[in-house]
């Protein structure tokens, strides 16, 4: 049974951070903010409904497929279908339509209409001219007329209703992380370095002689009686490792043969997306399995896993620094160097990766301030929350990983209830300022911060109607569908009409993290495909091309400077294989690619409905090239 957030020990006025059990498969994030339950904050509440949802591209006359299992593809009469993204306001959430052209790249240079920026006293870089929109070229080129701008803005609104895809980001600066990190599905941060192993220029990944992949293996979805968390997947040099129902299991990455399994007392609640160089990582799990007497066990155990040896190195709970002997609940966990850091509404704690020795206890100040969660990878950063539920004040701090002492601090602007750490080196934070994104993405702006001084370098406005990156509504390190490297932020655009009659497409573009400018160049997904950045590989971006209904997906390497694409993998397009691939909604899946191996896995499974009771549903599908 999945962990519905339990009432943690928390500062006054901080609501419980766990959701009510939906009627259908829930969203992929833990702890979306909820109104206090009737019984007050002490009453356990079940997990939230999914704010996202995207269907694979199909022609208007939908093929006679069985409803996709996996989250984001609601079975027809099944209870609890996913909410449809709200229709955008006619003027794009307050932005004048005259400033929107083409598929949502507003004009930026002087003398051209630009998108008004939100105040809050922070410098915000206007976005640059968009691709495909008529621009004044000095040679008689014409600007859009007001009528044309309105038509295009309306087209953008239609595109939004279709929705956009998301993935669980996987990064590192070289495909194995920076420093002593070997990120498997980690944060997108990292200073770019060129590869030295004969890979593509600027990276380590190699293009195989034959890019056609074959199925490595498929793991059946476990049968459960309730919503169950199976978060966590890692890819080492020999194994693919995946969380199951109260266990973690390693499989030979080529054949799927089981290598080892670690039983756990309860479900995995959260898993670090980072690994150390010697393939160690961290998890948070329940103290026990659910019973009739204890339906909602607490996620109070932090542990470290050796992904090579298949051992639980250590596990422990901690009590609050404010007193009492009850072990506190953690919502998420990360890894930076040799420091394991876990955060939640009861504050944060850190441990040595090697032996679990405490580095610091949960930190809750007398003023009610506490560490909400951490971002790891090459560096360690925290989102610290103060104030009340109705009037929170968030501060982002770069931390000393050993002591937890702040190295710098940046205060987020008013109107930010939650913030997500996209990257720690360079330090990039995403937030929905004033809840203006309006599409469930939790992103209206990105903040590029100098980690040494805590000063804002630039604030980048990223209209949710135009860009398809997303972050968890409350999680600090759960951003998806983007990558950071080369001092750039790589974002996909929302899907829009392509050249074919039925298909849609999108692009990947880049913003400069010093100037905030939208840089020239783009990577086009191609007709009926959608590009989803996974991680950095040196100076290149590894991306998944989500396919149309009749094709297999692709993995490409995008040159971070020229945007030239190199095909690394193309999955089979025969019906059985492509249907299995399509059943994984990218909104609720973990996607990992490395060294000619690609895996899609679920983060939640639930009791089957009558619609999919006889279907073949998978926990994992894996592909490999020769």
């Amino acid at each position: 049974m999945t962990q519905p957030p339990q009432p943690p020990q928390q500062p006054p006025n901080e609501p419980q951070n766990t959701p009510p059990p939906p009627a259908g498969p829930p969203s992929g994030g833990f702890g979306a903010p909820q109104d206090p339950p009737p019984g007050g904050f002490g009453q356990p509440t079940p997990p939230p409904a999914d704010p996202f949802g995207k269907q694979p591209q199909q022609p208007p006359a939908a093929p006679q497929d069985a409803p996709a299992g996996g989250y984001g593809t609601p079975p027809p009469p099944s209870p609890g279908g996913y909410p449809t993204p709200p229709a955008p306001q006619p003027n794009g959430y307050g932005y004048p339509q005259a400033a929107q052209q083409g598929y949502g790249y507003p004009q930026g240079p002087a003398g051209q209409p630009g998108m008004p920026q939100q105040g809050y006293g922070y410098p915000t870089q206007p976005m640059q001219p968009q691709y495909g929109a008529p621009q004044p070229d000095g040679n008689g080129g014409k600007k859009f007329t007001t009528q044309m701008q309105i038509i295009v803005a309306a087209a953008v609104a239609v595109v939004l209703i279709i929705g956009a895809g998301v993935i669980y980001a996987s990064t590192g600066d070289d495909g194995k992380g920076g420093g002593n990190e070997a990120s498997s599905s980690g944060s997108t941060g990292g200073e770019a370095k060129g590869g030295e192993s004969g890979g593509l220029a600027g990276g380590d990944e190699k293009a195989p002689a034959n890019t056609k992949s074959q199925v490595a293996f498929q793991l059946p979805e476990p049968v459960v009686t309730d919503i169950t968390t199976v978060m966590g997947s890692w890819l080492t040099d020999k194994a693919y490792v995946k969380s199951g129902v109260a266990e973690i299991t390693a499989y030979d990455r080529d054949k799927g043969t089981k290598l080892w399994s670690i039983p756990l007392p309860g479900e995995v609640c959260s898993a670090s997306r980072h690994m150390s160089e010697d393939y160690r990582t961290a998890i948070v799990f329940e103290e026990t399995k659910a019973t009739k007497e204890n339906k909602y066990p607490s996620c109070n155990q932090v542990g470290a896993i050796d992904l090579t040896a298949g051992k639980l190195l250590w596990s422990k709970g901690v009590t609050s620094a404010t007193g009492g002997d009850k072990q506190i609940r953690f919502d998420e966990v990360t890894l930076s160097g040799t420091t394991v850091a876990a955060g939640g509404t009861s504050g944060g704690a850190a441990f040595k990766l090697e032996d679990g020795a405490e580095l610091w206890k949960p930190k809750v100040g007398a003023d009610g301030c506490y560490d909400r969660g951490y971002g790891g990878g090459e560096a360690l950063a925290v989102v610290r929350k103060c104030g009340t539920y109705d009037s929170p004040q968030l501060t982002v701090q770069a931390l000393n990983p050993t002591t937890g002492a702040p190295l710098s601090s940046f205060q987020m602007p008013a109107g930010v209830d939650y913030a997500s750490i996209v990257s720690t080196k360079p330090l990039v934070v995403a937030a929905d300022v004033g809840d203006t994104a309006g599409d469930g993405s939790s992103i209206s702006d990105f903040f590029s911060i100098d980690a040494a001084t805590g000063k804002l370098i630039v604030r980048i406005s990223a209209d949710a109607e135009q860009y398809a990156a997303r972050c968890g509504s409350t999680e600090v390190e759960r951003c998806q569908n983007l990558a950071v490297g080369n001092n750039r932020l790589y974002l996909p655009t929302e899907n829009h009409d392509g050249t074919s009659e039925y298909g849609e497409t999108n692009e990947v573009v880049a913003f400069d993290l010093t100037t905030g400018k939208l840089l020239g160049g783009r990577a086009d997904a191609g007709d009926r495909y959608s590009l989803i950045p996974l991680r950095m590989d040196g100076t290149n971006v590894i991306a998944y091309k989500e396919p149309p209904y009749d094709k297999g997906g692709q993995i490409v390497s995008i040159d971070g400077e020229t945007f030239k694409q190199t095909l690394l993998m193309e999955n089979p397009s025969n019906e059985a294989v492509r249907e299995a691939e399509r059943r994984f909604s990218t909104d609720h899946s973990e996607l990992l690619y490395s060294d000619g191996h690609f895996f899609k896995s679920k983060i939640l499974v639930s009791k089957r409905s009558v619609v999919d009771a006889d279907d073949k549903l998978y926990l994992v599908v894996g592909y490999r090239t020769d």
Side-chain angles (χ1 to χ4, degrees):
M1 172 175 282
T2 199
Q3 170 65 38
Q6 302 225 347
Q9 301 174 10
Q10 58 191 26
N13 298 316
E14 178 63 21
Q16 178 172 332
N17 189 29
T18 40
S27 141
F30 288 98
Q34 304 290 328
D35 292 329
F41 291 112
Q43 300 298 319
T45 55
D50 181 11
F52 312 140
K54 179 185 176 214
Q55 305 296 328
Q57 296 183 21
Q58 300 187 14
Q64 300 300 312
D65 297 328
Y71 299 92
T73 313
S78 172
Y82 297 98
T84 301
Q89 300 175 16
N91 66 347
Y93 299 106
Y95 294 123
Q97 292 193 4
Q100 299 184 10
Q101 300 188 11
Y103 290 108
Y105 294 84
Q107 303 302 303
Q112 299 182 32
M115 177 179 291
Q117 306 299 318
Q118 298 181 19
Y120 302 110
Y122 291 92
T124 307
Q125 174 62 42
M127 293 184 216
Q128 304 302 302
Q130 86 161 49
Y131 301 108
Q135 306 292 332
D137 57 11
N139 297 312
K142 297 180 181 179
K143 296 183 181 180
F144 268 3
T145 65
T146 301
Q147 180 181 10
M148 198 49 143
Q149 292 169 1
I150 292 173
I151 292 172
V152 172
V156 172
V158 172
V159 170
L160 280 180
I161 296 175
I162 299 173
V166 186
I167 65 144
Y168 191 98
S170 157
T171 91
D173 61 342
D174 58 3
K176 289 192 175 181
N180 63 353
E181 294 293 321
S183 294
S184 177
S185 57
S187 76
T188 52
E191 292 181 338
K193 304 178 181 67
E196 299 177 359
S197 60
L200 294 171
D204 290 334
E205 295 293 350
K206 304 174 184 178
N210 181 7
T211 58
K212 299 289 186 181
S213 71
Q214 57 184 295
V215 175
F217 59 89
Q218 299 170 326
L219 301 179
E221 182 181 283
V223 177
V224 297
T225 58
D226 203 344
I227 299 164
T228 302
T229 305
V230 288
M231 180 180 294
S233 60
W234 303 269
L235 189 53
T236 74
D237 58 343
K238 294 182 176 63
Y240 171 77
V241 186
K242 175 63 185 169
S243 295
V245 179
E247 67 176 357
I248 295 178
T249 305
Y251 305 89
D252 181 288
R253 66 180 192 171
D254 290 320
K255 299 175 291 185
T257 307
K258 184 182 289 189
L259 302 178
W260 51 258
S261 184
I262 301 172
L264 298 171
E267 291 180 25
V268 175
C269 309
S270 182
S272 172
R273 51 177 63 183
H274 307 287
M275 300 182 295
S276 63
E277 272 191 341
D278 55 354
Y279 300 120
R280 296 184 178 192
T281 192
I283 59 173
V284 170
F285 56 95
E286 293 174 342
E287 58 186 344
T288 184
K289 293 180 180 178
T291 63
K292 289 184 178 180
E293 294 73 26
N294 183 12
K295 293 184 178 180
Y296 305 115
S298 177
C299 294
N300 57 24
Q301 297 298 300
V302 180
I305 301 288
D306 186 324
L307 298 172
T308 299
K311 292 181 180 179
L312 178 63
L313 299 175
W314 54 265
S315 65
K316 60 176 55 181
V318 296
T319 56
S320 173
T322 58
D325 57 1
K326 185 177 180 180
Q327 293 182 343
I328 67 170
R329 178 185 184 278
F330 293 108
D331 297 321
E332 52 187 314
V333 65
T334 194
L335 176 68
S336 179
T338 58
T339 296
V340 174
T345 54
S346 295
F351 314 85
K352 287 184 178 179
L353 176 62
E354 181 180 2
D355 56 14
E358 287 185 10
L359 295 174
W360 67 78
K361 293 275 283 185
K363 299 189 295 184
V364 178
D367 54 0
C369 298
Y370 64 97
D371 287 2
R372 182 66 187 83
Y374 303 91
E378 290 191 74
L380 185 66
V382 64
V383 173
R384 190 160 174 81
K385 191 170 187 177
C386 299
T388 65
Y389 173 63
D390 294 329
S391 182
Q393 178 57 62
L394 304 185
T395 301
V396 177
Q397 297 177 329
L399 300 180
N400 179 315
T402 303
T403 65
L407 302 176
S408 66
S409 295
F410 169 75
Q411 185 170 300
M412 296 296 291
V416 175
D417 295 332
Y418 297 94
S420 297
I421 296 173
V422 176
S423 165
T424 57
K425 190 175 182 181
L427 183 55
V428 180
V429 176
D432 187 359
V433 182
D435 295 326
T436 55
D439 67 341
S441 68
S442 297
I443 304 173
S444 66
D445 297 83
F446 290 93
F447 298 79
S448 176
I449 301 167
D450 186 331
T453 64
K455 294 182 178 179
L456 180 69
I457 299 173
V458 70
R459 172 176 164 183
I460 301 170
S461 179
D463 189 344
E465 295 187 20
Q466 303 163 8
Y467 301 102
R470 294 176 182 250
C471 295
S473 57
T474 60
E475 296 87 350
V476 168
E477 196 179 37
R478 189 52 62 81
C479 291
Q480 307 167 313
N481 212 8
L482 73 177
V484 173
N486 309 323
N487 196 43
R488 297 178 175 187
L489 169 66
Y490 294 92
L491 297 178
T493 66
E494 291 279 5
N495 284 358
H496 55 77
D497 288 342
T499 58
S500 69
E501 184 177 0
Y502 302 127
E504 290 189 321
T505 188
N506 78 334
E507 300 80 33
V508 169
V509 297
F511 288 88
D512 187 290
L513 289 173
T514 299
T515 65
K517 291 183 177 180
L518 179 63
L519 301 175
R522 65 178 182 184
D524 293 305
D527 222 17
R528 303 196 300 146
Y529 286 87
S530 296
L531 266 173
I532 300 172
L534 301 184
R535 62 172 173 85
M536 297 301 298
D537 172 37
T539 58
N540 302 330
V541 179
I542 301 299
Y544 174 57
K545 292 179 72 170
E546 190 175 32
Y549 77 99
D550 57 348
K551 300 287 186 181
Q554 298 178 359
I555 298 292
V556 295
S557 176
I558 304 171
D559 186 297
E561 295 287 339
T562 66
F563 291 91
K564 177 184 176 182
Q565 298 178 49
T566 300
L567 180 64
L568 301 180
M569 173 182 286
E570 183 170 12
N571 292 337
S573 60
N574 68 72
E575 184 176 3
V577 176
R578 73 172 189 256
E579 284 303 305
E581 182 176 3
R582 287 178 58 224
R583 285 181 180 273
F584 285 79
S585 162
T586 51
D587 296 342
H588 305 282
S589 301
E590 295 169 332
L591 278 66
L592 301 179
Y593 175 84
S594 179
D595 191 27
H597 295 79
F598 174 55
F599 295 91
K600 300 181 79 171
S601 66
K602 293 179 180 176
I603 60 175
L604 291 171
V605 294
S606 63
K607 182 179 179 180
R608 293 196 180 193
S609 70
V610 293
V611 176
D612 60 16
D614 298 325
D615 291 345
K616 285 186 177 180
L617 301 182
Y618 297 101
L619 175 67
V620 176
V621 292
Y623 309 87
R624 65 179 177 85
T625 54
D626 292 334

